[in-house]
Amino acid sequence: LVLLGRQTSATRPHMGSSQSQDTQDTKPPPQLGKSGKKICCSCPETKKPRDECIVTKGEEHCGDLIEAHKRCLRLEGFKV
């Protein structure tokens, strides 16, 4: 709608059209582990205890749980 020669948000062109974003956002697909999951979703059985320990006790007291989670991720095929 144009009123007295002014453009409204309905008629004004949008900045940063989606066409230019489509050509710039060419990210490779996420790496998947052997179970078909991304790293963030892999090894929940070691991730949860590790995270709880870090939150409650601090990272410096959770080395064994951190290493167990890293081992699990390596078995999934991730390089950590």
Side-chain angles (χ1 to χ4, degrees), residues 41-58:
C41 301
S42 296
C43 300
E45 66 281 357
T46 57
K47 182 178 182 178
K48 185 176 179 178
R50 178 207 63 176
D51 291 350
E52 288 176 359
C53 181
I54 291 171
V55 169
T56 59
K57 299 178 183 178

Side-chain angles (χ1 to χ4, degrees), residues 10-58:
T11 61
R12 192 176 308 137
H14 295 290
M15 298 293 290
S17 71
S18 63
Q19 183 179 7
S20 65
Q21 284 181 339
D22 290 344
T23 58
Q24 293 174 357
D25 292 339
T26 55
K27 297 177 187 174
Q31 180 185 357
L32 301 179
K34 292 177 183 176
S35 65
K37 297 178 183 177
K38 295 187 290 186
I39 193 168
C40 62
C41 301
S42 296
C43 300
E45 66 281 357
T46 57
K47 182 178 182 178
K48 185 176 179 178
R50 178 207 63 176
D51 291 350
E52 288 176 359
C53 181
I54 291 171
V55 169
T56 59
K57 299 178 183 178

